Amino acid sequence: MSRKSAARKSPARKTPGVDRKWLGGAALVAAAVLLGIAVFQMSDGEKADAASQQSAAAVDPRYAELAKLARRDAADPLAQGRADAPVVMVEYSDFQCPFCRTFGRKIEPQLIADYVDKGVLRIEWRNYPIFGEESTTAAHAAWAAGQQGKFWEFHDTLMANAPEKKNTGALTPDRMAELAEQAGVPDIAKFRTDLDSPAAAAAVQRDVTEAYSLGVSSTPAFLINGRPVLGAQPIEQFQAVIELAARDGQE
């Protein structure tokens, strides 16, 4: 993945109501980390090796501040895994992003089997729709599915059925309702109402504000106990950072 192909301009400059002070001083620390640590980002086809990741992660005390962004809300329908899991991975993602789909289809299921199901990892989704109106519709729909306990089922269904090209006109509210039905959302009328609700807009805006405040300019982006990982990296890199974070939590 080249820097050119991976980089996506943040939409937050065009998003009304973004509060740049929302995260206060932690935002400044976070932005510096996310934008300044290239070891976690693919560049010109080169991948950071696990040893380099571990070395960088082990020496930077700022990760403790970033780790506080984990909400650890046991009632959060857009999260999975124990609220008290030793490792939390915060995922900033857009359903139209091809790299997000690669992660969601090929990498995340294995991380769930290897770490979430064993109580080591918690995954907290953040909607970060950076590709326009259809991305926003999908984000609102995902939130609406979560209100009926079906976020992850909807997530998987949409990831499997999203068009390869962005903004084709395919991700309409009606299409979202069809996918919600496929995902097992029980009350489609409520789903439609929730999708168009101010509560959905506010929830998605909260995530957008957080991502913007962190300086996130591309998707997917992750914080693993505060350690930034950018892009759909090979699974070995996620494993290295997760296992390092788990070990740190035992010390």
Side-chain angles (χ1 to χ4, degrees):
M1 185 190 307
S2 67
R3 187 182 302 273
K4 181 178 180 181
S5 63
R8 306 295 182 194
K9 185 178 294 184
S10 168
R13 296 184 184 277
K14 299 180 181 180
T15 303
V18 170
D19 181 0
R20 298 190 185 191
K21 298 181 180 178
W22 188 79
L23 290 178
L28 299 178
V29 175
V33 174
L34 284 174
L35 297 177
I37 302 179
V39 71
F40 290 102
Q41 186 173 25
M42 287 187 186
S43 175
D44 300 325
E46 296 180 359
K47 303 183 181 77
D49 59 62
S52 296
Q53 287 189 3
Q54 291 180 9
S55 175
V59 300
D60 199 315
R62 292 173 292 182
Y63 296 137
E65 287 301 312
L66 293 178
K68 294 177 183 178
L69 292 170
R71 296 171 187 170
R72 291 190 178 273
D73 179 359
D76 183 356
L78 275 63
Q80 60 176 312
R82 290 169 33 199
D84 63 347
V87 183
V88 178
M89 180 173 74
V90 179
E91 174 183 353
Y92 301 93
S93 196
D94 181 322
F95 284 103
Q96 286 202 101
C97 166
F99 304 116
C100 299
R101 288 199 299 272
T102 296
F103 177 81
R105 292 172 179 174
K106 298 181 179 180
I107 299 172
E108 196 162 36
Q110 192 62 51
L111 297 181
I112 292 169
D114 291 346
Y115 299 106
V116 176
D117 291 348
K118 295 177 182 178
V120 175
L121 178 67
R122 174 178 174 83
I123 300 175
E124 296 186 357
W125 174 275
R126 305 285 193 267
N127 280 301
Y128 193 35
I130 66 174
F131 292 115
E133 183 177 350
E134 290 187 61
S135 292
T136 300
T137 297
H140 288 194
W143 182 89
Q147 302 316 292
Q148 299 187 53
K150 293 292 183 180
F151 168 77
W152 289 102
E153 291 84 352
F154 181 83
H155 166 281
D156 293 347
T157 301
L158 180 50
M159 287 290 187
N161 290 278
E164 292 302 316
K165 294 184 178 180
K166 297 181 287 293
N167 298 316
T168 63
L171 300 186
T172 64
D174 285 342
R175 179 57 174 158
M176 295 299 97
E178 292 174 359
L179 294 176
E181 188 169 10
Q182 291 180 30
V185 174
D187 188 338
I188 299 302
K190 174 176 168 31
F191 170 85
R192 286 181 178 273
T193 299
D194 286 341
L195 188 159
D196 288 330
S197 69
V204 171
Q205 183 61 61
R206 178 190 182 190
D207 291 350
V208 168
T209 299
E210 181 177 296
Y212 178 83
S213 298
L214 292 171
V216 176
S217 60
S218 63
T219 55
F222 308 87
L223 293 174
I224 301 176
N225 277 15
R227 296 165 170 84
V229 177
L230 307 182
Q233 302 282 358
I235 191 169
E236 292 82 7
Q237 295 194 30
F238 286 97
Q239 291 169 333
V241 180
I242 290 168
E243 291 172 11
L244 174 65
R247 289 197 300 274
D248 286 350
Q250 294 173 354
E251 294 177 357

